[in-house]
Amino acid sequence: MAESNSDLLKEFCIPTYIFNDETKISDVPDAPKFPVLVFINSKSGGQLGGDLLKTYKSILNEHQVFDVGEEAPDKVLHRVYMRLEKLKQEKDEFASKIHERLRIIVAGGDGTAGWLLGVVCDLKLPHPPPVATVPLGTGNNLPFSFGWGKKNPGTDRNSVLSFLEQVMKAKEMKIDNWHILMRMRAPKEGSCDPIAPLELPHSLHAFGRVSSTDELNMEGYHTFRGGFWNYFSMGMDAQVSYAFHIERKLHPEKFKNQLVNQSTRAKFGCTQGWFAASVFHPSSKNVAQLAKVKIMKKYGQCQWQDLQIPNSIRSIICLNLPSFSGGLNPWGKPNSRKQRDRDLTPPFVDDGLLEIVGFRDAWHGLVLLAPNGHGTRLAQAPRIRFEFHKGAADHTFMRIDGEPWKQPLPIDDDTVVVEISHLGQVNMLATQNCRSKSVYDPSSTSHHNGEEDDDSDEEDSRNEAHVFRKFGAAATFRIPDEVDISQLS
């Protein structure tokens, strides 16, 4: 067994000379078939991140394993690829094979995974390395979407070896990535800057103010830009998530495992009024009262169309992957009649379209736990625009790939605009249990049973939602079985 494990690891290990000049090419064996760079957020998953970092460093070359808290991935990848290019120019065939075969493993929450994807995207490599994601957060939507699971992994040697075997067998799959722009007139007083996500201030998810030389810059306005892969949401679900993140930042010692995290999130879902939104959430903060939403239905189209949002919708989600809130699919699978009459499709992750879904409250969200359940399908589009009404509110809540913030809104000046558009694609590694569906390879989700939703009115499904309130795995919508609802106060 030890010998077979040794043979397995040889296919992943990258020799030290690839990273510096300490070792000569003559001292290394044949090029590995699956060379990997491993990025781990040691602060994710309580103690698990740190333990996983130690295990990977003990079984691979420690030079190919990085703690994102110690060294930012953009600096690491820039350095590694500069080194590979230098060696390739020196006719180093070994380095050429490493460059050609390189894969990335990232262990952390969705924010960490998105950070790596953003860095890979920014490098604009001719052959970007595909990325495998280790679930080490609370939601783990990215790993779950591509078959890597959603439970925190084992950190011992055998668990890591088992994961590496999956990486070896995984297939490449493309995923759309999305650009998000926010623009507002410079306020007369105060600040309306977006607040960077609490966990990863260096992540692409954090809105960055564009420079004065950026082509997106407009005189007299503040312009920010960022990106995402899984979802952008606005409204009450983001408000609950924000309260959870604030508490975790103030008391990190209370958040050591997924059950505690989900229980605490459920508590905030109740105390913030998400389960009694009609009572605690003023209608003035519903999406339709806060913003006008517009879409462009097709690429190259220059005309924005108003999207009709029901007045009861308190949360809107622009979704790229079939996993939200710990593994639920808000879009579902439209039946053939709806596909024909409303021009809807199943949710492909590489078709250049976002699925736009609305929810009234947490009870509405619980229909996702029922067979074929889904939210209120609003549209599919490659471009979406939110125009927040002047003076509608002094703030709202937004969330990108699990990272929430409280967004100030100017109350005495122009409309705040948030615009989302398709930017490009990156490569993911997917296992045979992959839930994501490619428009080019429909068989990639062969595990689906082909069931479609029924024709019942989406707005009438609320009455049945309470049946499922103690079932499923959703962090935002679910109350875990171990939580006593009467004690949530």
Side-chain angles (χ1 to χ4, degrees):
M1 178 66 70
E3 184 176 344
S4 62
N5 287 343
S6 177
D7 290 339
L8 172 67
L9 290 174
K10 286 178 182 178
E11 302 300 345
F12 294 94
C13 281
I14 301 176
T16 303
Y17 99 95
I18 290 293
F19 303 96
N20 55 53
D21 294 320
E22 291 179 9
T23 309
K24 301 301 180 185
I25 183 66
S26 59
D27 300 325
V28 297
D30 294 335
K33 294 179 181 177
F34 308 99
V36 294
L37 297 177
V38 183
F39 295 90
I40 298 173
N41 188 341
S42 61
K43 296 181 180 179
S44 290
Q47 182 64 34
L48 295 180
D51 293 343
L52 200 61
L53 184 70
K54 293 176 183 176
T55 304
Y56 269 100
K57 285 194 171 185
S58 71
I59 67 175
L60 297 175
N61 185 343
E62 64 176 16
H63 289 87
Q64 69 189 103
V65 182
F66 307 91
D67 182 349
V68 299
E70 298 293 330
E71 189 171 17
D74 53 339
K75 294 181 179 179
V76 172
L77 288 178
H78 182 76
R79 185 177 69 247
V80 169
Y81 274 96
M82 288 289 287
R83 173 71 175 164
L84 287 172
E85 285 297 332
K86 178 177 180 293
L87 292 171
K88 285 170 62 180
Q89 290 176 10
E90 296 172 357
K91 309 300 182 186
D92 186 335
E93 293 186 8
F94 187 99
S96 295
K97 290 179 180 178
I98 295 290
H99 188 281
E100 176 186 334
R101 301 170 182 175
L102 191 63
R103 298 183 171 198
I104 288 177
I105 295 174
V106 53
D110 284 332
T112 308
W115 185 7
L116 257 296
L117 289 174
V119 170
V120 171
C121 182
D122 286 347
L123 287 174
K124 295 180 170 55
L125 300 167
H127 305 288
V131 180
T133 52
V134 181
L136 203 61
T138 302
N140 296 322
N141 291 295
L142 268 165
F144 187 60
S145 295
F146 293 93
W148 300 103
K150 58 186 174 186
K151 293 183 179 179
N152 286 342
T155 60
D156 60 283
R157 179 184 176 91
N158 287 336
S159 296
V160 170
L161 288 172
S162 176
F163 187 86
L164 288 174
E165 283 187 300
Q166 286 185 286
V167 171
M168 183 170 59
K169 298 173 183 177
K171 64 179 180 180
E172 291 190 31
M173 188 174 184
K174 290 191 179 298
I175 171 180
D176 293 322
N177 65 303
W178 298 87
H179 179 259
I180 181 166
L181 176 143
M182 181 184 294
R183 178 176 285 131
M184 62 196 74
R185 188 180 294 279
K188 296 176 181 176
E189 58 184 34
S191 173
C192 289
D193 288 14
I195 300 172
L198 303 174
E199 294 295 310
L200 295 169
H202 299 293
S203 168
L204 182 67
H205 302 5
F207 278 99
R209 186 194 295 266
V210 302
S211 69
S212 58
T213 57
D214 193 297
E215 62 181 12
L216 293 175
N217 183 62
M218 289 179 61
E219 184 111 14
Y221 287 81
H222 290 170
T223 302
F224 307 85
R225 66 192 305 178
F228 68 95
W229 282 265
N230 192 0
Y231 66 87
F232 166 84
S233 70
M234 189 272 290
M236 201 164 186
D237 79 291
Q239 177 179 335
V240 172
S241 182
Y242 177 76
F244 170 84
H245 276 257
I246 288 293
E247 182 73 8
R248 185 166 64 175
K249 184 182 181 183
L250 294 175
H251 305 286
E253 71 280 358
K254 296 180 180 179
F255 299 84
K256 295 297 184 182
N257 60 62
Q258 287 173 306
L259 175 59
V260 171
N261 292 353
Q262 289 179 351
S263 300
T264 306
R265 194 184 291 270
K267 173 184 175 181
F268 281 117
C270 292
T271 58
Q272 293 283 322
W274 187 216
F275 281 89
S278 59
V279 176
F280 294 99
H281 186 82
S283 59
S284 62
K285 291 191 176 181
N286 290 0
V287 173
Q289 280 68 48
L290 278 176
K292 179 179 289 186
V293 184
K294 300 181 178 183
I295 61 172
M296 284 189 187
K297 287 286 289 181
K298 300 190 181 297
Y299 288 107
Q301 190 180 50
C302 298
Q303 189 70 33
W304 290 102
Q305 302 177 24
D306 288 340
L307 182 62
Q308 298 304 314
I309 308 293
N311 289 330
S312 59
I313 295 298
R314 297 179 176 89
S315 182
I316 191 167
I317 303 163
C318 302
L319 191 71
N320 187 40
L321 302 183
S323 180
F324 174 79
S325 192
L328 302 180
N329 182 0
W331 188 253
K333 186 176 181 180
N335 62 41
S336 54
R337 182 182 64 80
K338 288 178 181 175
Q339 290 189 45
R340 180 187 69 247
D341 295 348
R342 296 188 57 194
D343 193 24
L344 302 179
T345 70
F348 298 109
V349 298
D350 54 358
D351 60 356
L353 297 175
L354 283 172
E355 282 70 46
I356 309 171
V357 187
F359 289 97
R360 295 183 300 277
D361 50 29
W363 297 119
H364 185 195
L366 286 172
V367 302
L368 299 180
L369 303 174
N372 307 322
H374 57 85
T376 300
R377 299 188 186 107
L378 299 172
Q380 288 173 300
R383 295 187 69 181
I384 306 156
R385 181 182 176 97
F386 295 83
E387 297 178 354
F388 290 88
H389 302 312
K390 175 181 176 180
D394 60 1
H395 69 271
T396 187
F397 293 89
M398 299 181 183
R399 184 160 61 139
I400 296 177
D401 289 359
E403 306 290 342
W405 72 96
K406 182 179 179 179
Q407 176 58 50
L409 299 173
I411 59 175
D412 59 351
D413 279 306
D414 250 1
T415 301
V416 176
V417 173
V418 175
E419 189 172 317
I420 300 170
S421 57
H422 186 259
L423 181 62
Q425 294 183 327
V426 292
N427 295 325
M428 298 295 294
L429 285 172
T431 75
Q432 61 181 3
N433 296 320
C434 176
R435 297 172 62 86
S436 296
K437 189 172 184 179
S438 169
V439 70
Y440 303 105
D441 180 21
S443 64
S444 62
T445 52
S446 57
H447 65 281
H448 284 297
N449 59 16
E451 291 182 353
E452 300 175 330
D453 60 35
D454 57 32
D455 286 330
S456 61
D457 188 346
E458 295 169 0
E459 295 294 322
D460 290 339
S461 56
R462 184 182 194 174
N463 295 331
E464 302 177 8
H466 70 279
V467 177
F468 307 99
R469 71 181 183 275
K470 300 279 278 182
F471 173 75
T476 299
F477 297 124
R478 168 195 154 209
I479 299 179
D481 293 334
E482 295 81 359
V483 178
D484 183 354
I485 300 178
S486 64
Q487 299 302 311
L488 297 178
S489 60

